[in-house]
Amino acid sequence: MNSLKEDIYNSTLGMYGYLKKQDYYKDINSYALYTDDSFMSISFAFNTNSYLEKKKNDEYYLTYKFSPAEWFSETLRNDVIIYKNIYFEKVSHLLKKMALSNYNYEEMFIDYCISALKEFKCNNEIEKNKLLLFMVSDYFDEENIINWNSQLNTSQVVSEMKIWLKSE
């Protein structure tokens, strides 16, 4: 299973390298490894300051800040690399194989994702002030979400995330 862990990290680096070449790269303020609630796919979502700024007065501002489904990356339908999730195809294929074999891999997968994000941050791949998340779509277990993401962010970010989760 260590190859899965390496594949998650390498896919994250590959996607990040792709993003560094985009016009909006310097505007990115948040990154997330984002999986579906059946843990059969994964993507690297991101948000930008300018996109979030447009939502500043919205009553659901914190949703736009902490929910990858609402981020800038979700608007890029014309970018085939992002829309078709090219960098994470291999990882998603492995996840589907594990799910179909009834292998109990969810906790290990979550640990691998968080580990990859920690390594991503510790290796100075991204600036320390960027929001970094692990999230599962349609999942609202506050305790788990806080536990996962407190390993990646400051206590101030975690406090704000708690406010968001209570409002969901």
Side-chain angles (χ1 to χ4, degrees):
M1 287 303 142
N2 277 342
S3 73
L4 176 60
K5 185 177 183 178
E6 290 171 16
D7 287 344
I8 293 168
Y9 181 71
N10 290 333
S11 296
T12 301
L13 283 181
M15 185 63 187
Y16 182 70
Y18 175 77
L19 293 176
K20 286 172 78 172
K21 298 174 189 167
Q22 306 309 308
D23 293 340
Y24 50 77
Y25 168 72
K26 290 186 186 236
D27 194 32
I28 295 175
N29 62 9
S30 308
Y31 299 95
L33 282 176
Y34 183 53
T35 187
D36 61 288
D37 57 354
S38 59
F39 298 93
M40 290 185 15
S41 67
I42 185 172
S43 63
F44 191 60
F46 58 93
N47 207 359
T48 62
N49 288 309
S50 55
Y51 187 77
L52 188 58
E53 182 65 28
K54 291 176 190 172
K55 311 296 183 184
K56 192 174 188 171
N57 295 320
D58 191 293
E59 72 175 293
Y60 301 108
Y61 173 77
L62 291 178
T63 299
Y64 289 104
K65 182 172 184 173
F66 292 114
S67 178
E70 304 300 331
W71 286 4
F72 177 73
S73 55
E74 294 297 307
T75 69
L76 300 174
R77 304 261 186 243
N78 293 330
D79 187 319
V80 176
I81 301 291
I82 294 170
Y83 189 68
K84 293 199 175 213
N85 203 22
I86 301 299
Y87 284 96
F88 285 89
E89 280 181 328
K90 182 178 178 185
V91 174
S92 291
H93 178 74
L94 287 170
L95 294 174
K96 286 175 187 157
K97 275 179 66 174
M98 286 191 281
L100 293 173
S101 70
N102 293 320
Y103 182 72
N104 188 6
Y105 65 95
E106 291 87 355
E107 283 187 40
M108 176 189 66
F109 173 63
I110 291 167
D111 289 343
Y112 285 177
C113 288
I114 292 169
S115 176
L117 289 170
K118 283 180 178 177
E119 190 173 344
F120 183 60
K121 194 170 198 172
C122 289
N123 289 345
N124 295 315
E125 296 295 338
I126 65 166
E127 298 88 6
K128 300 284 187 221
N129 65 337
K130 304 291 184 187
L131 178 64
L132 200 55
L133 301 174
F134 171 76
M135 298 296 276
V136 178
S137 65
D138 301 318
Y139 183 85
F140 297 100
D141 183 310
E142 181 179 346
E143 185 178 336
N144 283 336
I145 293 170
I146 294 301
N147 181 43
W148 300 333
N149 291 292
S150 64
Q151 299 175 58
L152 304 167
N153 295 285
T154 66
S155 58
Q156 180 181 352
V157 167
V158 172
S159 293
E160 194 174 27
M161 185 176 270
K162 286 177 182 177
I163 294 168
W164 167 64
L165 288 166
K166 288 194 186 318
S167 71
E168 285 293 305

